[in-house]
Amino acid sequence: MPLGLEPRAEPSRLMGYASPLIAAGLTLVTGFVLFSFLGRDPFFAFYTFFVAPIDDIWGWGELGLKAAPLMLCGIGLAIGFRANVWNIGAEGQLTMGAVCGGGLALWFHESASAWLLPGMIVAGALGGMAWASVPAFLKVRFNTNEILVSLMLTYVAILFLDYLVRGPWRSPEGYNFPESREFGDAALLPILIEGTRLHGGLLIALAVVALGWLFMMRSFVGYQMQVAGLAGAAAQYAGFSRSRMVWIGLLVGGGGAGLAGVGEVAGPIGQLLPSVSPGYGFAAIIVAFVGRLHPVGVVLASVLIALLYLGGESAQMDLNLPSAVTGVFQGVLLFFLLASDVFINFRLRLRHSGRAPVAARETAA
Amino acid sequence: MTPVDTLIAILVATVGAGTPLVFAALGELISEKSGVLNLGVEGMMLVGAVSGFIAAAETDSVLIAVAAAILAGAAMSLIFGVLTLTFQANQVATGLALTIFGVGVSAYVGLDYTSVALAGVPEIHIPLLSDAPIVGPLLFSFDPLVYLSIAMLLAVAWFLYRSRAGLILRGTGESPESAHAIGYPVIRIRYLAVLFGGAMAGLGGVYLSVAYTPVWVEAMTAGRGWIALALVVFATWRPARVLIGAYLFGGVTILQFHVQGIGVDIASQWLSMLPYLATIAVLVVISRDVAKIRLNAPASLGIAYHPET
């Protein structure tokens, strides 16, 4: 091949910032091509998917509504990923957060106390953390791969929620539908902008992201976790406790996801249903990567992915495309990001059939 | 039905339930033996399942369905290969991306086929053997794909431990630097291993959608791809153990239906949790022995390799 990849002496900062933008751009281009391929007018489809959803104040409210859980899960995952703690079970932790927060709401469903909502939020965070503590414990104690354990528990959590809303927690007034009672007003998050569904969860999300930034960038433990991810052996020699990092990485991820879960059921959903999330826990993995594992990036990436979700819904209504196309875009975005990331650590060089790249030969000469 | 008949029925169903896992896990085993950790098995299985299903629905030919699934699975793994082997991307992230992409693509492509019913794959019938009292249904009456899975197991075992190419593959997984120094094309070997993994995952998927339950449902693998990954660990990267593990999980999956059948009053969701909880239990038991894992896992598993670094 005439072109080759040559390792850089040090990682390129420019590409570090540019690659998410390049990836987003390439995804948009792919969308354009994909729409043409599917027989839709590409310009109209592009508009419908990426522009129309945020045409009005309602749209912006929806954007914030979807970005909040993505941010909450994303920041938690980013902190863990930095230390090479791979929490893939955020969807399950989100579900358990919804179950715990929602459970509290159902237990006190006739209460009008101002303490109910804060209590639910705490319960949700704790629920998510408790669910994440299982892979953490098994990893630390039994060396079990946290990717597989957290993922298996996701399926378990979703089945558990299904059991609850079809069984013991099914609403007596729900005509036998698989749903819980609707939460009372004291258990719902306040709406931020009138005329939208945007609720206080967004403020919680931004606050958590800010806390995450403080933790990652200004605390010693956060520093330890970054070192552990970048140079595991060095971290070990320095005495940074790997067990502590696994626990923190998973608990933070679980807590964030749990908050996202309670935010969904105390927000737009208002009750417990068999499904409380359109895959936010998995999309948050993409958010974390596209956001370069950095709080600011996580916020921006959450907005982008929220837009992809809205685009999918809009495409379903106006383009007759199934909302599953959202998943396709998410995957494509991550693919492009991973591909453009190569240029952070490598550069393109011309090769002359089999011999060392030109630059290396010149320095050798 | 007599108790013996019931037992035979359970065992037969267990084999059927375990076969997709056998395919997917064997493919991932080869991939991991070459040093590449491909977490995208779930996505590749789904793409194989939907491709095979559509091919079967359109052509009524199981053979074409299988071919379509193999190609689709390999195509998915090619994306993974290009990103991780040529673009040096992080293998864990790329595998996750592949799964998310695969779930989305398969859901999208399969939309028009969710209410289509297929004829299924007919079981083979060997004149005398299939009719034999107990051995007949237990050994000689499965559909061809089950026998293919056993054949693949033997082929993979022979390849890895009795062939020169298999030795080179294992060497690449243990120390790509050494393999490169000797002159073997590490990247090309890994590409082939990854493609094989994708093809096998596709095969596992098409078995699910065309033979096991001849319907297409979004995300119908329900985590089997992930269980296949766990199986490779459980088998400590050895083919024969993959079979045992796969049938063990098949058994747990089948168990849920029979527990309800014998009148135990427990909500179905708890039983549905069994395969996932069993996977966790099995992983804990195997992973405890850190030394054993380190001994058997390919040394360069998951680490990106670039010839010039």
Side-chain angles (χ1 to χ4, degrees):
Chain A
M1 284 191 67
L3 284 176
L5 287 173
E6 179 194 66
R8 289 185 199 257
E10 51 181 47
S12 157
R13 289 199 65 184
L14 172 67
M15 282 310 296
Y17 291 119
S19 81
L21 297 171
I22 295 175
L26 285 173
T27 307
L28 295 179
V29 169
T30 306
F32 200 79
V33 170
L34 184 70
F35 292 136
S36 316
F37 189 70
L38 293 173
R40 308 284 191 283
D41 168 17
F43 289 99
F44 177 66
F46 194 90
Y47 174 83
T48 307
F49 204 90
F50 295 109
V51 181
I54 43 174
D55 231 351
D56 54 8
I57 193 77
W58 168 268
W60 282 95
E62 292 295 295
L63 192 72
L65 186 68
K66 288 198 147 46
L70 289 169
M71 261 185 251
L72 283 165
C73 294
I75 189 71
L77 293 183
I79 291 176
F81 290 174
R82 283 233 183 201
N84 271 339
V85 176
W86 299 99
N87 179 4
I88 308 302
E91 187 78 357
Q93 291 141 25
L94 186 155
T95 304
M96 290 310 276
V99 164
C100 291
L104 205 67
L106 290 174
W107 190 272
F108 294 108
H109 70 92
E110 276 161 28
S111 158
S113 163
W115 288 110
L116 181 56
L117 195 57
M120 283 166 63
I121 293 173
V122 170
L126 289 177
M129 286 169 74
W131 205 241
S133 69
V134 176
F137 174 72
L138 293 179
K139 171 87 179 176
V140 166
R141 181 82 174 75
F142 298 113
N143 186 39
T144 321
N145 183 307
E146 72 276 22
I147 296 177
L148 294 172
V149 175
S150 60
L151 199 40
M152 292 292 120
L153 287 177
T154 298
Y155 289 101
V156 173
I158 294 176
L159 283 167
F160 182 57
L161 173 64
D162 192 80
Y163 163 72
L164 288 174
V165 299
R166 286 180 203 272
W169 288 8
R170 187 168 51 182
S171 168
E173 299 134 19
Y175 304 100
N176 262 351
F177 280 119
E179 57 186 36
S180 76
R181 242 190 258 269
E182 286 175 12
F183 296 169
D185 283 337
L188 293 176
L189 286 160
I191 300 284
L192 288 180
I193 303 177
E194 247 194 66
T196 71
R197 292 194 301 167
L198 184 62
H199 57 77
L202 181 63
L203 297 176
I204 298 177
L206 290 169
V208 169
V209 169
L211 283 174
W213 179 85
L214 269 174
F215 176 77
M216 247 199 254
M217 307 296 173
R218 290 283 181 272
S219 82
F220 187 51
V221 183
Y223 170 74
Q224 288 181 335
M225 289 178 76
Q226 293 197 56
V227 173
L230 291 167
Q236 247 181 314
Y237 296 146
F240 298 162
S241 159
R242 180 72 192 153
S243 309
R244 189 189 310 173
M245 274 170 244
V246 170
W247 275 107
I248 294 180
L250 276 160
L251 287 180
V252 168
L259 283 172
V262 73
E264 286 301 285
V265 295
I269 304 181
Q271 61 182 149
L272 284 178
L273 298 174
S275 167
V276 293
S277 156
Y280 287 137
F282 293 111
I285 298 172
I286 304 179
V287 165
F289 275 108
V290 174
R292 299 242 69 93
L293 304 184
H294 188 285
V296 174
V298 163
V299 172
L300 295 173
S302 306
V303 172
L304 175 62
I305 303 243
L307 184 60
L308 288 181
Y309 269 111
L310 291 181
E313 288 173 7
S314 166
Q316 194 171 24
M317 283 193 300
D318 297 327
L319 288 175
N320 244 338
L321 287 175
S323 59
V325 74
T326 305
V328 175
F329 274 112
Q330 287 181 2
V332 165
L333 175 64
L334 192 50
F335 281 148
F336 279 131
L337 177 79
L338 290 167
S340 12
D341 268 1
V342 70
F343 297 109
I344 297 177
N345 289 313
F346 294 85
R347 64 164 67 93
L348 278 178
R349 270 289 178 267
L350 285 168
R351 265 194 235 262
H352 298 272
S353 48
R355 287 175 291 173
V358 179
R361 280 195 308 134
E362 283 171 359
T363 44
Chain B
M1 281 176 92
T2 70
V4 174
D5 284 331
T6 314
L7 182 63
I8 292 178
I10 293 178
L11 290 174
V12 168
T14 297
V15 168
T19 300
L21 293 173
V22 172
F23 282 125
L26 282 177
E28 179 66 16
L29 179 75
I30 291 286
S31 177
E32 291 193 17
K33 276 290 194 188
S34 82
V36 180
L37 177 67
N38 186 349
L39 293 180
V41 185
E42 180 85 353
M44 297 191 294
M45 280 182 87
L46 278 170
V47 168
V50 77
S51 311
F53 188 86
I54 293 177
E58 297 296 325
T59 68
D60 262 334
S61 158
V62 174
L63 208 60
I64 296 184
V66 167
I70 290 177
L71 283 173
M76 283 284 281
S77 65
L78 184 64
I79 300 175
F80 177 85
V82 168
L83 282 170
T84 54
L85 299 172
T86 304
F87 281 85
Q88 303 292 309
N90 177 296
Q91 289 179 13
V92 173
T94 309
L96 292 174
L98 196 72
T99 294
I100 295 174
F101 178 70
V103 172
V105 156
S106 62
Y108 178 74
V109 167
L111 263 175
D112 290 330
Y113 291 87
T114 47
S115 50
V116 175
L118 290 182
V121 182
E123 292 153 9
I124 67 163
H125 187 86
I126 308 174
L128 271 175
L129 294 169
S130 300
D131 298 321
I134 295 180
V135 186
L138 210 49
L139 289 179
F140 297 110
S141 304
F142 291 112
D143 60 71
L145 288 171
V146 172
Y147 296 112
L148 179 64
S149 69
I150 305 291
M152 288 310 299
L153 170 70
L154 297 171
V156 165
W158 176 86
F159 169 78
L160 279 177
Y161 297 109
R162 289 262 187 271
S163 81
R164 187 175 159 74
L167 181 64
I168 297 172
L169 181 90
R170 284 187 285 135
T172 308
E174 297 297 337
S175 174
E177 299 83 11
S178 310
H180 180 74
I182 299 176
Y184 293 123
V186 171
I187 298 293
R188 190 181 312 163
I189 292 172
R190 287 183 166 182
Y191 258 110
L192 291 173
V194 164
L195 285 173
F196 178 76
M200 291 292 275
L203 208 51
V206 75
Y207 184 80
L208 267 179
S209 69
V210 170
Y212 189 60
T213 51
V215 291
W216 163 256
V217 177
E218 196 180 305
M220 70 183 293
T221 48
R224 282 183 182 80
W226 298 105
I227 296 180
L229 280 162
L231 268 184
V232 176
V233 177
F234 169 69
T236 53
W237 292 269
R238 277 183 275 165
R241 297 259 285 259
V242 164
L243 195 76
I244 300 172
Y247 289 160
L248 211 74
F249 280 94
V252 173
T253 309
I254 294 298
L255 197 69
Q256 10 169 331
F257 304 118
H258 284 267
V259 166
Q260 288 202 293
I262 61 175
V264 174
D265 188 19
I266 185 169
S268 67
Q269 293 93 345
W270 297 107
L271 297 172
S272 300
M273 289 183 199
L274 281 178
Y276 308 111
L277 295 172
T279 305
I280 295 177
V282 146
L283 279 172
V284 169
V285 166
I286 284 289
S287 308
R288 290 184 70 168
D289 194 343
V290 181
K292 184 166 186 168
I293 293 285
R294 208 177 301 152
L295 202 62
N296 285 295
S300 74
L301 184 61
I303 305 172
Y305 172 73
H306 185 83
E308 277 157 46
T309 46

